[in-house]
Amino acid sequence: MSETAKVLASYGPKGSRVRVILHDEATVRAEWYEGPKGAKRRRVKEWPATGAGKAEAKAWAKMFSEARTLPAAPDRATLRTLFERYARAEFEHLRPATQRLYSEHWRYWERMWGREFEAERTTLDMVDEFRVALTKRGLSVTLIGKAITTIKQVYRWGRMRGHLPSNPIGDYRYKVAKDKRPKPVPEYSDAEFRAIMATYDPADGRTWRAYVGLSLCGWQGVRENAAVHLQWADIDWDGNLITWRARYDKMGREWTQPMRSQTREALATAKFHRERLGYTGPWVLMGGNSLSKRDGSYSPDALIKCLRTAEKRARVKYIKGRGPHGLRRLLAGDVHAATGNAVLAMRSIGDTDIRMANRYILERDEEVRAAFDAVDKRRNGATAIDTGEVSDE
């Protein structure tokens, strides 16, 4: 702490004290030390030096001090040890992307309260504070909700495995006001998809990868990671089927899908360029220079970039977060419109969770308009019969 810093409040006994100081004209800080004796490290948390910021800093420091100075018990799990135990037990069953996501969520939690904080001392109020902190950082309500879900999951696991005597945040409910709930990302329209595809020439050696990759996303409804990792061995030309490998599927399962005629044409394009380049590797979309991944496949990020470029050329409105998922939603919506079967619509894009239908199958204005027209036609027809002229004869 600076010698000139003004102490606004101090909480806790000597050795584990939490001080609130006026760090400078613009910043209020809570400062404390944690770690073993002789190797303690200073930790800080900051707020703006406003009246509200000072009040919030004092309230946080008081609550934090009370939580960290509760009587300690032997062998109680800290935040760090709890997550390490969870990772050892559960990460083997999780995909690498999920492991990274859970680890990132837990890092948010540890930075808030400290790695050495004893997990069983956690309170519901601390989760509220955590939520407020993530909101101030600009995270979306969706990301905040996922982070809180991960934290609750780890605590629940710790209680079930006996690492915690209870689950102190088991009753926490993350609620979001209706007007702040995220709206589903819209799908591309059929006209937008065709305009996007028209910007790429399948015969061009520089753009054929984008053409084929976006064809797979649009005509088959797969995610970009699956599209760029399709291998020639996964294509059954005689049976007209494509198998998507579990390793590159978000849900970690292998599944087979009928091949559409437009996809077959796009794959024929890829086969032509494979022979032209003399490529003998496994990938339908092999990388090219900076577009290559270590395994030699095309990059998902490169495909997304190509989609953005095509949007500009086709004058398709950019909508944040839409990306290849907008093409996936388009196919699900088309299948649902054609069949009226939500389960089949989700199965068509390789999703077995019917609960996701509300996110993928969106309301289409043209369908509502057609329904209104049908109602009006029926009503007008009935009126003509019921109110026909009565003859005087």
Side-chain angles (χ1 to χ4, degrees):
M1 182 179 71
S2 170
E3 294 181 359
T4 60
K6 181 180 178 181
V7 178
L8 302 180
S10 180
Y11 303 97
K14 184 177 180 180
S16 59
R17 193 162 294 162
V18 182
R19 292 184 176 88
V20 179
I21 66 170
L22 185 62
H23 179 65
D24 54 38
E25 293 182 357
T27 309
V28 173
R29 275 186 176 180
E31 294 189 348
W32 70 98
Y33 289 84
E34 62 180 43
K37 187 175 181 180
K40 289 182 177 287
R41 298 182 62 184
R42 185 170 66 114
R43 303 292 187 185
V44 300
K45 182 174 173 60
E46 296 184 343
W47 292 263
T50 61
K54 293 175 184 178
E56 185 176 339
K58 291 177 182 178
W60 182 91
K62 184 175 185 297
M63 182 180 67
F64 178 62
S65 173
E66 291 173 351
R68 74 195 296 256
T69 54
L70 290 173
D75 299 325
R76 287 181 174 173
T78 65
L79 298 186
R80 175 71 340 217
T81 57
L82 178 62
F83 189 73
E84 287 176 345
R85 293 169 186 173
Y86 174 81
R88 283 196 298 270
E90 299 296 322
F91 270 22
E92 181 181 354
H93 316 299
L94 301 175
R95 292 171 57 77
T98 304
Q99 295 178 19
R100 289 192 296 270
L101 190 64
Y102 285 4
S103 298
E104 180 180 356
H105 293 164
W106 196 261
R107 280 196 297 273
Y108 291 151
W109 185 245
E110 281 188 349
R111 289 169 185 166
M112 185 81 180
W113 305 109
R115 293 162 60 98
E116 302 305 316
F117 183 80
E118 290 187 5
E120 72 175 77
R121 299 178 183 176
T122 305
T123 66
L124 295 174
D125 288 340
M126 290 170 63
V127 189
D128 285 333
E129 289 287 336
F130 178 67
R131 174 179 179 171
V132 170
L134 295 188
T135 300
K136 289 183 177 180
R137 288 185 57 175
L139 272 67
S140 69
V141 294
T142 300
L143 292 179
I144 294 172
K146 289 181 178 179
I148 291 175
T149 297
T150 298
I151 291 161
K152 290 182 63 178
Q153 181 174 308
V154 174
Y155 275 79
R156 183 169 59 251
W157 176 90
R159 171 68 183 90
M160 292 173 60
R161 291 295 186 92
H163 301 301
L164 295 174
S166 64
N167 181 356
I169 58 174
D171 293 329
Y172 190 87
R173 297 294 179 266
Y174 177 64
K175 298 180 180 179
V176 179
K178 289 184 178 180
D179 60 337
K180 293 184 178 180
R181 293 174 187 173
K183 296 181 180 179
V185 177
E187 63 190 13
Y188 287 98
S189 68
D190 182 66
E192 288 176 328
F193 175 43
R194 293 181 183 278
I196 285 170
M197 295 304 298
T199 65
Y200 286 114
D201 180 1
D204 192 325
R206 298 166 299 176
T207 63
W208 70 269
R209 293 177 179 85
Y211 178 85
V212 174
L214 294 177
S215 291
L216 293 171
C217 292
W219 298 120
Q220 299 297 141
V222 295
R223 297 178 177 88
E224 63 271 18
N225 193 51
V228 300
H229 288 105
L230 179 63
Q231 300 186 29
W232 291 107
D234 302 329
I235 302 169
D236 179 356
W237 293 98
D238 295 331
N240 217 39
L241 298 170
I242 299 177
T243 297
W244 303 101
R245 301 194 179 199
R247 179 179 178 183
Y248 306 109
D249 180 72
K250 181 179 179 181
M251 306 311 295
R253 72 181 188 93
E254 183 175 300
W255 59 290
T256 300
Q257 184 188 42
M259 180 168 31
R260 301 177 72 186
S261 59
Q262 301 93 331
T263 304
R264 194 177 181 95
E265 292 175 3
L267 292 175
T269 293
K271 189 175 182 181
F272 166 80
H273 288 285
R274 169 187 171 88
E275 295 170 353
R276 177 181 65 84
L277 295 170
Y279 176 70
T280 58
W283 307 109
V284 171
L285 293 176
M286 79 292 283
N289 300 325
S290 61
L291 303 178
S292 299
K293 293 178 62 181
R294 288 185 178 180
D295 59 10
S297 64
Y298 195 56
S299 164
D301 291 338
L303 186 60
I304 294 173
K305 185 177 180 180
C306 289
L307 178 57
R308 296 285 176 251
T309 300
E311 283 182 331
K312 293 179 181 178
R313 292 175 180 170
R315 297 184 179 181
V316 171
K317 181 181 178 181
Y318 167 73
I319 298 177
K320 184 178 180 180
R322 181 156 67 166
H325 252 60
L327 299 175
R328 183 172 166 81
R329 285 178 167 85
L330 169 61
L331 179 57
D334 282 345
V335 174
H336 184 259
T339 66
N341 188 328
V343 174
L344 182 59
M346 298 308 295
R347 284 182 56 198
S348 71
I349 59 173
D351 202 318
T352 58
D353 189 352
I354 187 60
R355 294 173 298 178
M356 296 298 292
N358 288 333
R359 295 179 58 184
Y360 278 89
I361 303 173
L362 308 179
E363 181 179 288
R364 293 181 172 183
D365 290 341
E366 64 270 20
E367 293 177 3
V368 176
R369 188 176 298 110
F372 285 170
D373 289 344
V375 170
D376 291 341
K377 183 177 180 181
R378 181 177 180 182
R379 178 175 295 171
N380 292 337
T383 302
I385 296 172
D386 294 342
T387 62
E389 293 186 30
V390 178
S391 172
D392 291 335
E393 297 181 2

